[in-house]
Amino acid sequence: MSPATGEPSSRTGLLSAVVFAAALAAYLPGLAPGLTGEDSGDFLAAARVFGIPHPPGYPLWCLLAGGLSRLLQVEPFARAVNATSALLGAAAAASCVPLARRLGCGALASLSAGLLFAFSRSLWGGSVVAEVYSLHALLSILLLLATHRAATAPSVRSAAVLGLAAGLSLAHHPLMRGLVPIAGLATLRTRALRGWRRALAASAGLACGLSVLLYLPLRASAGPEKNWGDPRTLPAFLDHVLLSQYQPPATEGIAWPTVGLVPRLGALGATVLREFSAPSLPLLAGGLAVLLLASRGAFDLSRRDPRSGGLLLATALASTVGIAIYSAGRDARFYPPDYGTFSLPAFGVLAILAGVGLESIRRPTWPAIRPMLALGLPALAFASNRAPNDRSGSTFAGEYGRAILETVEPDGVLVGYGGGLAFPCEYLQIVEGVRRDVRLAVRTGRIDRDLLEPFTEEEAAQRKGKVGGARRDFEEDLLVRRLLGRRPIYLSRERPPAVPGVSIVRVGLLHRVVRAGTAEEQEARARDGRLWAGYRFESLGHDRGDRTVVEAEIHVRIARGRHLLDRGEAAAAIGEFLAADALRPLAPAERANLGVAFLRAGRPGEAEGAFRRAVLEDPSAFAARANLGHLLAATGRPSEAVEALRPVLARAEADAGDHQVFAAALEAAGAGDEAMEAIRSALLRFPGDPLLLLGQARLLAGRGECAGARALADRVSPVPDDPRARSLLEEIRARCP
């Protein structure tokens, strides 16, 4: 590695201070005022009580965020934690300056490198909300700096600092487990760790850095309100730190999409291109200029200092292409094709290499080109990324969390899966003291054990034989049995529990578990109307700062669309469904509801298109296929109706109306005998059903067997208040006056 530059350290400190101040000045105006999406609620709750967030626990972040937010004396508490992220992000950008100086950059190029990283889209985005990624960026740059210093200026102190940086990095984020070995390899065949004193100092530093992990069992033993996984024992501690909860068999049977390598590399390329400039064609030249400068810098550095060049390039590749390769084909819930956060170390490296590239331009054709590029590219990055990272108006996550908690009756239990739903509720309860009477049953990704235990021998045996999604369903059903009739139970999933005499009713944004033969269903429907009249989503459609906030908006729009559809306001429901579809393509079941809304609004062509698309995307989509069959039968296409409805009849969800329409379509298609057999088979499943009896009578009337038709029709008394039944009866009377 090349030795450090001979420039005075005071100038390097001044340049770092300039970058720090510029970054902070950029971040603070766009700082989120409170809760945002993603994991913000989880981290804010942990920082408030010095608790344990989701694996791997992020102990260093908890200590820094919890401590600094109290020192800042900023209100509300969430804004203080967000300000802590800004401080850490600014420190990460400022740390680029001394590293660039050590790599031979002059003052202007080093300043440019720091400002480029400060104004990069991903670092800026992680520095205005409560997240761990600004600290991740800081540690990655400090690790590179400590590695370079230990290799080029070996001493006991530099070895200790390298060990400390490695230990803190390993304790902070799982991605650092791939970067720390790269740093270790870069010190081979150097004097960085040569001699027992340096080796001992590095080991002591490593142990000191790793010791921050003791926060997890120590705080868990104190029983904080936020205590994910309770890692006070060694097995629980190892499970938490090693992310065992996110690995099979715990995740088996939970259907989440996977993303292959090629789409991931495409997403990575798009992320890199827009990191330093806006994704519009004229401004994209700025991003390309940064990449070209970084390429030139990598070539120049690798030529004159192969070890330093290899360290930076390996770090960049490991945190971009390496992540894409590792994540390809894995569960996209835990390994999303999102490189704006996971690849932060690479973007820091790109900024530094761009500085090296600027420095390598020694005799430009135009003397002003270096200062123009050095200041113009950071200015372009600032202009491009300021608006996308302005979270000063981000309030929807809080509105959404309040609405979820308001939906639950007093002293109710909420079984809600997914951090996008659970984390805002947990934040509101722990930090703001909102609706603490609501018991959140799922605070660690699965139902809390204290709500389920003790298990009977039979329950324990059944539970042991299930994993992943099957165990989740079993535990949810078990919870319903435990609490049914004792506390109101609300579910986030539209899945009726497998408990006799129990069903669910949509209530606001959730689903209420109700018992048959009680007034609970009627009360739930009345509560649904009151809730929708009282919900307040003032920032709906105006706050789309992150993925989970967008998903929350989609949830609200689809739920409101279904509520409007139930009230007969089909046109308004269509508007909500289409607004959700514009944010994320509707799932087949959701698209089926859009088709129903089109149908009720008198737009059968668009309804048919919605049903057909839903069936194409999911041939097993029951509601879409059944509605498509009914529509085809009603519009005079019996053969197509038969083809659409035949797979439906074998499903448990099929009702008597589906069988009757299928039989009528068979008759219209010229298969009268098969139609009669279909009706008789359906009557075995639904004995005495009025629609089927009238359907059979209609078939007999069509054959001219009027006596039998009248006899069957007379058995249906009184005639149900159903337009389908009245239509069948009128047709029978018309055929057999």
Side-chain angles (χ1 to χ4, degrees):
M1 291 188 176
S2 61
T5 180
E7 294 288 345
S9 60
S10 59
R11 181 176 294 185
T12 299
L14 178 61
L15 292 170
S16 297
V18 169
V19 171
F20 182 87
L24 209 56
Y27 299 160
L28 291 180
L31 202 66
L35 174 72
T36 57
E38 299 291 349
D39 299 327
S40 169
D42 186 45
F43 289 132
L44 287 168
R48 182 65 175 180
V49 297
F50 285 106
I52 315 295
H54 66 277
Y58 307 100
L60 180 60
W61 184 91
C62 290
L63 289 167
L64 289 173
L68 289 175
S69 59
R70 286 162 171 81
L71 291 175
L72 290 174
Q73 295 293 308
V74 174
E75 293 294 338
F77 176 78
R79 184 174 178 83
V81 178
N82 296 340
T84 299
S85 292
L87 291 172
L88 294 172
S95 299
C96 290
V97 173
L99 181 54
R101 299 286 274 168
R102 296 193 67 87
L103 295 174
C105 292
L108 187 61
S110 300
L111 180 67
S112 181
L115 292 176
L116 268 176
F117 194 33
F119 302 146
S120 63
R121 179 169 298 222
S122 299
L123 180 60
W124 196 333
S127 299
V128 293
V129 297
E131 262 292 356
V132 299
Y133 294 111
S134 57
L135 178 57
H136 177 49
L138 173 60
L139 288 172
S140 66
I141 300 299
L142 291 179
L143 179 64
L144 291 173
L145 183 58
T147 303
H148 190 275
R149 182 182 177 191
T152 57
S155 66
V156 172
R157 181 178 178 181
S158 65
V161 170
L162 175 59
L164 179 63
L168 291 174
S169 298
L170 290 170
H172 174 62
H173 199 282
L175 294 177
M176 299 303 286
R177 298 170 193 171
L179 302 187
V180 169
I182 293 173
L185 289 173
T187 63
L188 294 179
R189 303 185 68 179
T190 71
R191 298 174 58 202
L193 304 178
R194 189 172 300 172
W196 67 270
R197 287 186 177 85
R198 291 175 193 166
L200 182 61
S203 300
L206 180 66
C208 185
L210 290 173
S211 68
V212 75
L213 290 170
L214 293 174
Y215 167 92
L216 298 176
L218 291 175
R219 284 304 299 156
S221 299
E225 189 172 2
K226 176 67 179 174
N227 189 9
W228 186 301
D230 193 17
R232 69 181 71 189
T233 64
L234 182 59
F237 170 79
L238 292 176
D239 282 349
H240 203 74
V241 173
L242 299 178
L243 311 177
S244 298
Q245 182 178 334
Y246 301 149
Q247 304 297 330
T251 59
E252 289 178 7
I254 302 178
W256 289 87
T258 59
V259 180
L261 178 59
V262 173
R264 286 182 180 276
L265 292 177
L268 172 60
T271 301
V272 172
L273 281 176
R274 69 169 184 261
E275 191 64 22
F276 301 101
S277 64
S280 59
L281 191 58
L283 296 178
L284 205 58
L288 290 172
V290 173
L291 292 180
L292 289 173
L293 279 174
S295 301
R296 179 180 178 127
F299 175 79
D300 179 71
L301 184 62
S302 299
R303 181 175 51 81
R304 60 181 170 82
D305 185 1
R307 191 180 294 270
S308 295
L311 171 64
L312 267 64
L313 287 175
T315 297
L317 289 173
S319 51
T320 51
V321 178
I323 293 174
I325 293 173
Y326 178 80
S327 304
R330 292 177 181 265
D331 190 334
R333 176 181 54 163
F334 303 120
Y335 303 96
D338 178 3
Y339 300 96
T341 51
F342 297 151
S343 299
L344 266 173
F347 303 142
V349 168
L350 282 177
I352 293 167
L353 289 176
V356 176
L358 273 171
E359 190 64 29
S360 68
I361 304 176
R362 301 193 183 280
R363 295 179 180 175
T365 306
W366 300 282
I369 191 170
R370 282 181 63 190
M372 286 177 58
L373 289 173
L375 299 177
L377 291 177
L380 177 61
F382 175 87
S384 299
N385 294 328
R386 183 176 63 85
N389 289 313
D390 183 0
R391 303 299 298 274
S392 58
S394 293
T395 59
F396 183 67
E399 295 173 5
Y400 177 68
R402 288 178 187 276
I404 292 291
L405 290 174
E406 288 171 6
T407 303
V408 183
E409 296 165 53
D411 296 316
V413 176
L414 169 59
V415 185
Y417 297 95
L421 184 146
F423 290 162
C425 296
E426 198 166 20
Y427 159 81
L428 288 167
Q429 288 188 329
I430 294 175
V431 179
E432 297 191 11
V434 176
R435 290 298 308 272
R436 294 179 66 88
D437 61 295
V438 175
R439 173 62 194 270
L440 301 181
V442 182
R443 293 181 293 183
T444 62
R446 56 182 68 123
I447 295 176
D448 292 350
R449 293 289 293 270
D450 67 292
L451 290 172
L452 302 174
E453 294 177 337
F455 299 112
T456 66
E457 290 186 9
E458 181 181 359
E459 289 170 347
Q462 291 177 337
R463 181 177 179 275
K464 187 176 181 180
K466 301 180 184 297
V467 296
R471 176 173 288 189
R472 181 178 64 181
D473 293 346
F474 174 80
E475 291 182 346
E476 188 173 294
D477 295 341
L478 190 60
L479 174 70
V480 170
R481 293 191 185 96
R482 295 274 197 272
L483 300 180
L484 192 62
R486 296 169 51 200
R487 299 181 70 171
I489 306 170
Y490 283 78
L491 311 177
S492 65
R493 295 192 298 159
E494 191 173 7
R495 172 190 168 271
V499 178
V502 167
S503 62
I504 57 173
V505 175
R506 284 198 315 277
V507 177
L509 299 173
L510 301 170
H511 304 88
R512 205 323 188 150
V513 176
V514 298
R515 293 171 291 172
T518 69
E520 290 177 347
E521 181 173 349
Q522 184 177 354
E523 293 169 357
R525 297 192 188 283
R527 182 174 179 80
D528 178 64
R530 293 194 300 271
L531 284 168
W532 282 110
Y535 282 152
R536 293 292 179 268
F537 297 111
E538 295 178 359
S539 60
L540 183 70
H542 303 291
D543 178 13
R544 294 172 180 167
D546 57 62
R547 184 178 56 211
T548 52
V549 167
V550 172
E551 284 297 325
E553 180 181 343
I554 292 169
H555 178 198
V556 170
R557 290 196 181 279
I558 290 174
R560 186 155 65 185
R562 296 184 68 176
H563 172 72
L564 292 168
L565 195 58
D566 291 342
R567 292 181 55 183
E569 300 178 36
I574 290 170
E576 294 293 345
F577 290 136
L578 290 179
D581 191 41
L583 295 173
R584 185 256 295 153
L586 295 174
E590 297 161 352
R591 195 167 298 281
N593 289 323
L594 172 61
V596 172
F598 277 134
L599 199 58
R600 293 182 184 176
R603 297 158 65 176
E606 291 165 285
E608 182 179 341
F611 293 142
R612 287 191 181 278
R613 179 173 171 182
V615 171
L616 181 66
E617 293 174 353
D618 180 9
S620 66
F622 172 82
R625 186 175 284 277
N627 282 309
L628 177 62
H630 284 245
L631 176 59
L632 293 170
T635 52
R637 288 172 284 176
S639 297
E640 293 181 62
V642 168
E643 183 181 353
L645 287 171
R646 196 180 295 277
V648 166
L649 304 184
R651 299 276 294 273
E653 303 98 310
D655 61 16
D658 297 323
H659 286 269
Q660 188 275 319
V661 171
F662 177 70
L666 282 171
E667 182 198 27
D673 292 340
E674 188 180 352
M676 182 62 74
E677 183 59 33
I679 283 284
R680 288 170 179 160
S681 298
L683 281 167
L684 294 176
R685 182 175 173 183
F686 304 98
D689 183 86
L691 279 178
L692 292 175
L693 289 173
L694 290 172
Q696 188 177 26
R698 176 185 172 281
L699 290 176
L700 291 173
R703 293 179 174 185
E705 301 177 21
C706 288
R710 293 193 193 98
L712 280 174
D714 290 342
R715 287 173 58 186
V716 182
S717 181
V719 177
D721 186 18
D722 184 333
R724 295 175 298 175
R726 292 195 296 270
S727 176
L728 286 169
L729 192 58
E730 290 172 2
E731 192 171 350
I732 293 167
R733 288 170 178 167
R735 291 183 178 184
C736 297

